[in-house]
Amino acid sequence: QALWDKLVTLSNLPSEMLPARGTSHGRGGPKTWTDEEAAAKLASLKPLKNGKLITVRFDSTIGDVMPWSFVPTQLDVKVVPGETALSFFTATNHHPTKAITGVATYNVHPPKAGLYFNKIQCFCFEEQRLLPGETVDMPVFFFIDPDYADDPQLATVNNITLSYTFFPDRHG
């Protein structure tokens, strides 16, 4: 709890943009980093002065047999390396009588950019169980490491795509 509160404070995001505890997307509380080195890096994070603006685009799909819809609430965000960002994806279970548990996988493109893409909190860290007809907003809180700007292979890369695919959990 204390680490989450510190991360939220450091993010400079308005509280109304943050996921509420006890809501469907909270699942008992946010999943946050626990290792001290990662927390220290985040605490010292600052947007890169005069850093280039990077557009992070969001993509979403669902497995063929999953009766969900799953879409980003916004198509993209623009950030500079070292700046935190929060985005949401909306999922709906369209099954009329059955709760469905889903698991999200993700990838970052171009792959080299994935080395610098850091998720602080993400719905993909845990299974998501939706009741029949339930709709939830699920957060992803992230930043691009400032070292991105020093990588010559990314000097001309101004767009990153974060893609998620939801699959039904075999056990639930």
Side-chain angles (χ1 to χ4, degrees):
Q1 174 65 39
L3 178 58
W4 172 252
D5 291 339
K6 184 171 183 124
L7 295 175
V8 167
T9 301
L10 292 168
S11 74
N12 295 320
L13 292 168
S15 61
E16 62 273 5
M17 289 183 67
L18 295 169
R21 290 194 177 279
T23 61
S24 294
H25 53 71
R27 300 286 190 265
K31 177 81 170 180
T32 59
W33 292 349
T34 54
D35 98 0
E36 293 302 317
E37 188 174 297
K41 172 143 183 130
L42 188 60
S44 66
L45 205 78
K46 290 185 178 41
L48 205 56
K49 199 171 199 153
N50 301 317
K52 74 176 175 178
L53 202 57
I54 298 167
T55 301
V56 178
R57 299 182 194 288
F58 303 110
D59 182 44
S60 61
T61 57
I62 53 170
D64 291 342
V65 298
M66 192 159 190
W68 283 16
S69 57
F70 172 58
V71 295
T73 58
Q74 62 192 94
L75 296 178
D76 59 47
V77 296
K78 295 180 183 335
V79 296
V80 296
E83 178 181 15
T84 58
L86 178 68
S87 189
F88 289 88
F89 287 73
T90 301
T92 300
N93 177 3
H94 296 287
H95 197 286
T97 60
K98 185 178 175 188
I100 308 255
T101 301
V103 177
T105 61
Y106 73 94
N107 69 40
V108 176
H109 189 79
K112 178 75 172 173
L115 298 172
Y116 301 97
F117 196 94
N118 295 277
K119 289 182 286 171
I120 303 160
Q121 180 196 10
C122 183
F123 58 87
C124 64
F125 292 163
E126 299 175 345
E127 296 174 339
Q128 303 296 322
R129 184 168 182 81
L130 274 63
L131 300 175
E134 182 179 18
T135 297
V136 296
D137 289 323
M138 301 179 292
V140 58
F141 183 34
F142 66 92
F143 70 93
I144 297 170
D145 192 295
D147 291 342
Y148 180 98
D150 298 328
D151 191 322
Q153 293 180 351
L154 295 170
T156 61
V157 176
N158 300 320
N159 296 295
I160 296 174
T161 301
L162 176 61
S163 300
Y164 287 99
T165 301
F166 253 108
F167 296 96
D169 179 51
R170 288 185 242 180
H171 308 320

